[in-house]
Amino acid sequence: MGTLTTDDSIARRIKEMPMLSAVASRLLELTGDQDHSINDVGRIVESDAFLTSRVLRVANSAAFSPIDPIQTVNKAVSYLGEKMLIGIAIGSGSAKVFKTPLDGYESKAGELWDHSLRTAIASRELAEFAAKNLSPNIAFTAGLLHDIGKSVISEFLEGNTKDLTSLCDKGVAEDFLAAERSMAGTDHCEVGFQLGNHWRLPATLCAAIKYHHHPWKSEEEYKPLVYAVHLGDIVAMLGGVGTGADSFAYRIDINYDNYIKVGKEDLSYLLLKVEEEFSKTRNFVFGSEEI
């Protein structure tokens, strides 16, 4: 099977993707700094009138039911937590990435967001099991962004989904990434890594995007985070939500317990926790629902 496209055409499409908002970029940069304070986060949120309004609406919504009305951004940030702030900031300005159908994966509109949010929640929970200190907020953000490359590469795989799955089923391709490379000359992890660089994401997040299916290939300093996202992705799929044709078309790295000390007995808890929080938070990001 011949290559369907060239690196140049995919690179061009990456450059055409809308940038993250300035506020989202600043929040991602800030939360990567372990020494930041909640006031620092509040000041960034306050610099954007739309985000300020949205955060206050979410904090005072029935789903979060504050005892007293929340009237300041700092209190809202403290009440909701940084992970929710990151989700709102990224999702509100990235509908083109997360909400469009992925025809190359036979995935409906919104499924990428649903899978990404579940992966983010699972990755954050798995950070608590890390052998070395790992920020739950960074793990959440990395989980949210891990599959962004699919929003670009999908169109170059369109019409070939059955061939892609057949390559995996017959063992011709090691996994779906290898199948993608045989069709498009690259894969969604590499494309996501390039998009992350286009967005000027921190190196830690770019590493999680690039290596979440092959975590052993990442640099040692990033492995705790990459393994958390690797497992978080699998937990999301075990919960019944992937992104279409490639669900379960990857291998789990059996050496994950060198970095994430999670046992099989924790799996049921993780699945329940992910579903519970997903149900509570999924509608508060894009701003289309009534609050």
Side-chain angles (χ1 to χ4, degrees):
M1 253 172 277
T3 298
L4 295 180
T5 187
T6 65
D7 290 341
D8 287 343
S9 60
I10 292 179
R12 190 179 309 115
R13 188 71 75 246
I14 289 171
K15 291 179 180 178
E16 292 171 353
M17 295 296 288
M19 294 290 290
L20 287 177
S21 70
V23 170
S25 296
R26 288 167 63 198
L27 282 173
L28 289 175
E29 182 179 0
L30 181 68
T31 54
D33 179 359
Q34 299 283 2
D35 296 326
H36 73 275
S37 70
I38 202 73
N39 289 334
D40 295 328
V41 177
R43 280 193 290 271
I44 292 176
V45 173
E46 286 176 329
S47 71
D48 186 287
F50 172 79
L51 186 57
T52 294
S53 172
R54 178 123 192 90
V55 166
L56 289 172
R57 288 177 64 208
V58 172
N60 286 292
S61 68
F64 290 92
S65 303
I67 296 174
D68 297 311
I70 294 176
Q71 301 180 44
T72 67
V73 168
N74 279 353
K75 188 172 181 181
V77 170
S78 178
Y79 187 64
L80 294 175
E82 285 185 17
K83 63 180 177 58
M84 178 64 79
L85 267 295
I86 292 292
I88 294 172
I90 292 175
S92 295
S94 306
K96 184 176 180 180
V97 173
F98 289 107
K99 294 291 282 184
T100 55
L102 301 178
D103 293 331
Y105 297 87
E106 296 185 351
S107 180
K108 298 177 182 178
E111 286 185 349
L112 176 58
W113 174 252
D114 287 356
H115 172 72
S116 298
L117 182 55
R118 280 184 164 91
T119 300
I121 296 167
S123 299
R124 187 205 66 214
E125 295 298 318
L126 286 160
E128 303 294 343
F129 295 90
K132 295 182 179 180
N133 185 47
L134 176 59
S135 164
N137 287 326
I138 293 176
F140 179 91
T141 304
L144 199 63
L145 296 169
H146 77 288
D147 267 347
I148 56 173
K150 289 183 176 180
S151 64
V152 176
I153 200 174
S154 175
E155 68 175 277
F156 300 104
L157 304 175
E158 188 174 349
N160 293 274
T161 310
K162 290 183 179 179
D163 289 334
L164 288 164
T165 55
S166 178
L167 289 173
C168 296
D169 293 342
K170 294 177 180 178
V172 176
E174 177 185 6
D175 57 16
F176 209 86
L177 291 187
E180 288 175 352
R181 288 193 294 273
S182 73
M183 291 281 181
T186 187
D187 59 61
H188 73 268
C189 292
E190 178 60 33
V191 172
F193 175 72
Q194 294 175 23
L195 180 56
N197 285 327
H198 175 59
W199 283 353
R200 301 184 182 89
L201 297 180
T204 50
L205 298 179
C206 288
I209 292 167
K210 184 172 184 176
Y211 297 114
H212 68 272
H213 287 307
H214 297 157
W216 63 90
K217 294 183 178 181
S218 66
E219 295 181 31
E220 190 65 30
E221 64 180 302
Y222 301 137
K223 282 183 177 176
L225 174 64
V226 178
Y227 272 96
V229 177
H230 175 67
L231 293 178
D233 187 28
I234 291 170
V235 168
M237 287 188 279
L238 286 173
V241 180
T243 55
D246 72 325
S247 296
F248 297 111
Y250 306 98
R251 298 179 181 179
I252 186 172
D253 179 5
I254 60 175
N255 295 314
Y256 68 82
D257 60 352
N258 291 329
Y259 299 92
I260 307 294
K261 303 292 186 180
V262 63
K264 293 181 179 179
E265 67 277 4
D266 300 306
L267 183 59
S268 296
Y269 161 78
L270 281 172
L271 287 169
L272 287 173
K273 180 70 173 179
V274 168
E275 189 57 37
E276 177 185 353
E277 184 158 341
F278 174 81
S279 298
K280 183 178 181 180
T281 63
R282 74 178 301 271
N283 291 327
F284 292 104
V285 177
F286 290 101
S288 59
E289 81 299 328
E290 293 297 327
I291 297 180

